[in-house]
Amino acid sequence: MDRLSKRQSDILESLGRRGYLAIEEMVAAFNVTPQTLRRDLQDLADRGLLRRHHGGASANLSTANAEYGLRHVETAEGKAAIGRVAASYVKPGSSLFLSPGTTVDALAKAIAERGPRGLRVVTNSIAAASILETCPDISIQVTGGQWMRHNRALSGPAAAAFIENYRCDLYLASIGAIDAAGNLLEYRDEDVAVARVMFRNARRRVLLVDHTKFGRVATSRLAHLSEVDTLVTDREPPEEAAKMVAASGCEVVVAR
């Protein structure tokens, strides 16, 4: 799959914050001709990443997090840096809840490279489980449940019930969005249903968030940032988001 251009990534980020933008606004914001912008919008619409309208475009919230291969490309360097920092919290013999997502995949790769012995991993992510299988003396418990193609994971009541049987040292997870009030949001109720049990049953909660997630909107609430112990991100949060994070009391670590 072709990479997004920086302008296309910026268009999606803006739509994620605003929900809808008019053609005239985007032409002015990105300093391009209407023809160039329409080509960008058509390309993004063809990939299912936004919805085109007469005179503008809107965020395709129902599928904004759906193109798994594309998300591996977007902000890949930032996610890799986040993964390396978060992997340092994983000590030999510890137990982990891992949620699905491309940032968690980057974390799993970093853990596998470090190779801590004796881990016990409980996850609904087939991708993360496959990456971690090379770790020495590792035990991986994978949930049952409904197959979710958008993030290569299992979900639904069966997955949530399976997770309820475990208590782990660490909850290591990404999130679809953090709104201006500090709510942790996802795009699908079924994803939140499983993550909520992991969140509740973990002794320490570490959230892995690249810079594009601040100020986004989604509909399904997991928790509030004040309930998270550590947030690992790839850039300093924007000014308003930084104030919100500081007020939450959550530790912030910026991956370099």
Side-chain angles (χ1 to χ4, degrees):
M1 180 174 292
D2 293 339
R3 280 179 172 271
L4 293 183
S5 68
K6 183 180 184 304
R7 183 173 61 247
Q8 288 175 322
S9 294
D10 290 343
I11 289 170
L12 291 176
E13 187 174 347
S14 297
L15 286 173
R17 292 195 307 268
R18 297 274 302 279
Y20 175 87
L21 289 170
I23 292 286
E24 292 79 6
E25 289 181 89
M26 289 184 276
V27 166
F30 299 109
N31 193 28
V32 294
T33 66
Q35 292 79 10
T36 296
L37 182 67
R38 288 190 178 94
R39 283 196 295 271
D40 280 339
L41 295 181
Q42 188 59 56
D43 182 36
L44 293 169
D46 290 343
R47 300 183 193 218
L49 298 175
L50 57 73
R51 295 176 181 172
R52 289 200 65 182
H53 305 277
H54 180 69
S58 66
N60 192 359
L61 292 181
S62 64
T63 60
N65 221 28
E67 194 60 66
Y68 194 85
L70 183 59
R71 285 187 284 127
H72 267 292
V73 172
E74 291 181 312
T75 61
E77 292 182 6
K79 290 177 181 180
I82 291 168
R84 288 191 293 271
V85 169
S88 69
Y89 299 128
V90 178
K91 307 304 180 186
S94 57
S95 55
L96 321 173
F97 286 126
L98 297 181
S99 73
T102 54
T103 309
V104 176
D105 290 353
L107 164 66
K109 291 175 184 176
I111 294 172
E113 289 171 1
R114 294 170 68 94
R117 302 185 71 88
L119 298 183
R120 188 170 192 185
V121 175
V122 181
T123 185
N124 60 328
S125 170
I126 302 302
S130 299
I131 294 166
L132 288 169
E133 65 182 357
T134 60
C135 286
D137 303 324
I138 192 169
S139 170
I140 304 176
Q141 310 295 321
V142 179
T143 73
Q146 180 182 356
W147 174 247
M148 306 298 289
R149 184 179 64 84
H150 72 280
N151 60 6
R152 296 188 62 205
L154 298 158
S155 193
F162 182 93
I163 296 294
E164 192 64 76
N165 294 316
Y166 295 91
R167 303 294 184 272
C168 288
D169 299 320
L170 288 170
Y171 168 77
L172 294 154
S174 57
I175 195 71
I178 303 178
D179 72 10
N183 293 301
L184 310 181
L185 306 172
E186 274 294 358
Y187 296 93
R188 293 171 170 83
D189 292 341
E190 55 268 31
D191 291 340
V192 169
V194 180
R196 189 174 288 130
V197 183
M198 292 183 179
F199 193 90
R200 184 175 65 241
N201 290 356
R203 299 178 185 92
R204 182 181 180 186
R205 299 152 181 170
V206 179
L207 196 65
L208 286 57
V209 179
D210 72 73
H211 67 278
T212 67
K213 304 301 174 66
F214 291 105
R216 278 191 179 182
V217 292
T219 56
S220 300
R221 184 180 185 275
L222 169 63
H224 190 271
L225 190 59
S226 61
E227 301 171 76
V228 172
D229 297 290
T230 302
L231 184 149
V232 183
T233 186
D234 59 334
R235 297 184 191 175
E236 293 286 350
E239 183 178 357
E240 289 304 312
K243 292 178 183 177
M244 175 270 295
V245 173
S248 75
C250 176
E251 175 192 25
V252 178
V253 177
V254 178
R256 302 297 185 184

